[in-house]
Amino acid sequence: VKDPHGLAARAAVPRHDFVPEALHSSAYDDHPLPIGSGQTISQPYIVALMTELLEIGPEDRVLEIGTGSGYQAAILSHLAAEVYSVERRPELAEQARSVLSRRHHHNVQVICGDGTLGLPEHAPYDAIVVTAGGPKIPHVLLEQLAIGGRLLCPVGDRHAQRLIKMVRTEDGYRELPGIDCVFVPLVGEEGWPDAGV
Ligand code: SAH
């Protein structure tokens, strides 16, 4: 991972602001960390890789599914024009809104809801990133992608996935080979059923 824009964006966002205070000393270790509600902030390497694979340009409108801590959204906000981030858990959405506004990421909007249904209000998106793992790519997300737009989604079972990249072309979609990854479950209408967790 060596894209200079992505590196600069990551350098500008202190990860410790996005993890609970008790974990500040491990904020820069290269693994995921708990952020409350049984959810995690992704491993820095994965955030870097996803940021690079999304190929964000300064005019881009980006959709993230799974705001979590807000860390990935903060990095995207440095690279894109507008970022919309959907989180299903109200307490996490609230927490992320507060840190993002405290850190002046004013081009990020956090929406509470089921991101597997996408966010038609602001579509189409130049880039869509799903940061939770589902059984398949939610179809509406593909439909909400602009021509030339990139989508990243971890697809697999609840414990292990492959990070799939899709690019929308003039006449369809192109799938690029993914890498193995582990994300928390994508829970929703086009994801895993809510098992009360
Ligand atoms: N991008 C985050 C990683 C968060 S972990 C970060 O930088 O910290 C994944 C998040 O996806 C969790 O907060 C989880 O609650 C959320 N999530 C799971 N299913 C979702 C859905 N259908 N819609 C929106 N958010 C969802």
Side-chain angles (χ1 to χ4, degrees), residues 45-46 49-50 53 137 151-156 160-167 174-183:
Y45 171 74
I46 282 287
L49 181 68
M50 291 195 298
L53 291 171
I137 299 176
L151 175 143
L152 288 177
C153 184
V155 176
Q161 305 92 31
R162 267 189 97 70
L163 185 65
I164 308 284
K165 177 171 176 177
M166 302 288 283
V167 178
R174 190 156 46 91
E175 181 176 335
L176 286 91
I179 60 145
D180 292 327
C181 57
V182 180
F183 283 82

Side-chain angles (χ1 to χ4, degrees), residues 3 5 9 11 42 48-49 51 56 60 66-67 71 81-82 158 178 183 185:
D3 159 52
H5 300 294
S42 304
L49 181 68
T51 305
I56 311 279
D60 283 1
T67 316
Y71 178 65
E82 296 163 52
R158 280 174 175 269
F183 283 82

Side-chain angles (χ1 to χ4, degrees), residues 39-40 64 66-69 72 86-88 92 114-115 131 184 187:
Q39 306 304 314
T40 54
E64 177 188 34
T67 316
S69 68
Q72 173 85 68
V86 184
E87 170 57 53
R88 67 183 283 268
L92 290 179
D114 178 4
T131 67
V184 298
V187 175

Side-chain angles (χ1 to χ4, degrees), residues 85-165:
S85 185
V86 184
E87 170 57 53
R88 67 183 283 268
R89 291 183 176 266
E91 71 283 6
L92 290 179
E94 199 38 60
Q95 198 173 289
R97 259 185 217 123
S98 124
V99 59
L100 289 166
S101 94
R102 184 154 29 91
R103 294 202 44 82
H104 310 292
H105 292 283
H106 298 308
N107 60 343
V108 182
Q109 215 170 296
V110 177
I111 297 100
C112 189
D114 178 4
T116 66
L117 303 175
L119 192 64
E121 300 89 296
H122 302 285
Y125 302 96
D126 304 293
I128 300 181
V129 58
V130 184
T131 67
K136 59 169 197 272
I137 299 176
H139 204 266
V140 288
L141 296 183
L142 289 169
E143 288 162 10
Q144 290 174 16
L145 209 54
I147 306 287
R150 292 79 55 202
L151 175 143
L152 288 177
C153 184
V155 176
D157 61 30
R158 280 174 175 269
H159 309 288
Q161 305 92 31
R162 267 189 97 70
L163 185 65
I164 308 284
K165 177 171 176 177

